[in-house]
Amino acid sequence: MTSSSLIYFEISMVLFSSIAMAADHIVGDEKGWTVDINYIQWAQDKVFHVGDNLVFNYDNSKHNVFKVNGTLFQKCAFPPQNEALSTGKDIIQLKTEGNKWYICGKDNHCAARQMKLAINVLEEGAPSPSSSAHSLVSTIFGVLILAIIAILENII
């Protein structure tokens, strides 16, 4: 590998490791948006940023999704039915930072079956609890790649 190729590769690795990409958060993971899942607990180990997407997968004959405020969330009260998301695969882009609340407006799913989600959205690029660990891993990975390239150059 020539020195110009090496420099190009090093720069690419640094840029690649620092690119922040929007994440898709599948609500409820493989179970999706359904009854009897603790979505508050599900969200606890997740970090949501402006630009990320919430993906609600569900049976639209049994469930829907309402974006509500904190008061409606606490009361499990929902807006008019025409404001419901109901495709069965609803994608909500998180456009602003702050607290966000979502509930199911079918039957008694919110109050009796805990079909409700509350999250906090951080500004785009804001450090998250895992970002320092990610930075450390990226740095170690970059150093490791450079060491491998240096070894290979000496062998070849």
Side-chain angles (χ1 to χ4, degrees):
M1 193 177 266
T2 66
S3 65
S4 62
S5 296
L6 180 61
I7 291 170
Y8 175 75
F9 182 76
E10 290 172 1
I11 291 170
S12 297
M13 289 305 298
V14 170
L15 292 175
F16 179 72
S17 69
S18 64
I19 293 174
M21 299 186 72
D24 286 341
H25 300 278
I26 311 297
V27 177
D29 299 321
E30 67 280 346
K31 293 179 182 177
W33 182 240
T34 191
V35 294
D36 302 326
I37 294 178
N38 185 335
Y39 290 102
I40 306 302
Q41 186 177 24
W42 171 84
Q44 282 180 345
D45 66 344
K46 313 249 182 320
V47 179
F48 304 92
H49 287 98
V50 170
D52 288 355
N53 294 310
L54 287 181
V55 180
F56 289 86
N57 294 319
Y58 57 94
D59 179 344
N60 67 350
S61 68
K62 296 179 182 177
H63 310 294
N64 61 18
V65 180
F66 280 100
K67 181 178 180 186
V68 295
N69 62 31
T71 302
L72 293 178
F73 178 84
Q74 291 298 327
K75 294 179 179 180
C76 280
F78 43 88
Q81 282 295 324
N82 67 346
E83 294 183 28
L85 302 173
S86 57
T87 67
K89 185 170 176 77
D90 298 311
I91 300 173
I92 299 173
Q93 184 179 32
L94 302 173
K95 296 180 180 180
T96 59
E97 62 186 86
N99 294 320
K100 311 292 179 201
W101 302 273
Y102 305 91
I103 61 175
C104 178
K106 296 276 185 149
D107 299 323
N108 201 13
H109 291 178
C110 179
R113 310 285 299 273
Q114 295 307 301
M115 211 166 159
K116 55 200 266 183
L117 169 66
I119 63 170
N120 182 42
V121 179
L122 303 176
E123 67 183 76
E124 194 171 19
S128 64
S130 64
S131 67
S132 60
H134 178 277
S135 296
L136 178 62
V137 169
S138 296
T139 302
I140 291 170
F141 179 72
V143 169
L144 181 62
I145 293 298
L146 292 175
I148 291 170
I149 291 170
I151 292 168
L152 290 175
E153 279 188 336
N154 287 332
I155 293 173
I156 299 176

